[in-house]
Amino acid sequence: MENKEELFHIRNEKHAIKQQSEDINHPDFYLNDELLEELQLFCQNFDPYRDMDLETKFRLQEFGVLELSNPFEITNKLLLLLENNLQYRIKIEKEK
């Protein structure tokens, strides 16, 4: 049986988070519209104080949350990712 790390790498190859292929050079935290919507839906249904199944852990790692033992830290990282993306989009709109 494969270990969790191998499963994560295999899963990431199939479901890798990809940046949009635009001419704009976005920051590292940037998520395209589809991924931002997925993150918002994930956050609406996510409870960091409950036991997490493997799929939830993989999703968190895809969004850059690697430390899974501290629910407060998980929540802060997800909120920061959402906030950074929303503020970045507002900034782009203002520059147009």
Side-chain angles (χ1 to χ4, degrees):
M1 181 176 181
E2 298 179 75
N3 67 30
K4 291 180 182 181
E5 186 175 330
E6 290 173 356
L7 288 173
F8 178 68
H9 290 297
I10 292 170
R11 186 178 187 283
N12 275 351
E13 290 173 5
K14 294 179 183 175
H15 304 287
I17 293 180
K18 301 174 186 170
Q19 287 189 324
Q20 289 178 328
S21 58
E22 296 178 3
D23 294 336
I24 300 172
N25 190 12
H26 297 294
D28 291 340
F29 61 79
Y30 177 77
L31 300 175
N32 64 29
D33 293 339
E34 180 182 323
L35 289 172
L36 184 58
E37 186 174 331
E38 284 181 30
L39 176 59
Q40 289 171 327
L41 290 172
F42 177 82
C43 289
Q44 288 174 0
N45 299 313
F46 176 64
D47 182 355
Y49 293 95
R50 290 194 172 167
D51 289 335
M52 291 181 258
D53 61 4
L54 193 56
E55 177 67 22
T56 301
K57 291 177 182 179
F58 284 156
R59 272 318 266 174
L60 286 168
Q61 290 176 348
E62 288 173 352
F63 289 121
V65 180
L66 304 176
E67 175 56 47
L68 304 178
S69 63
N70 184 343
F72 184 74
E73 187 176 328
I74 293 170
T75 303
N76 282 343
K77 286 190 176 197
L78 290 173
L79 288 172
L80 184 61
L81 183 58
L82 283 169
E83 181 180 5
N84 285 343
N85 273 277
L86 295 174
Q87 286 180 352
Y88 180 70
R89 289 164 189 275
I90 290 169
K91 178 184 170 189
I92 289 175
E93 285 299 315
K94 287 181 179 179
E95 292 175 355
K96 285 185 181 180

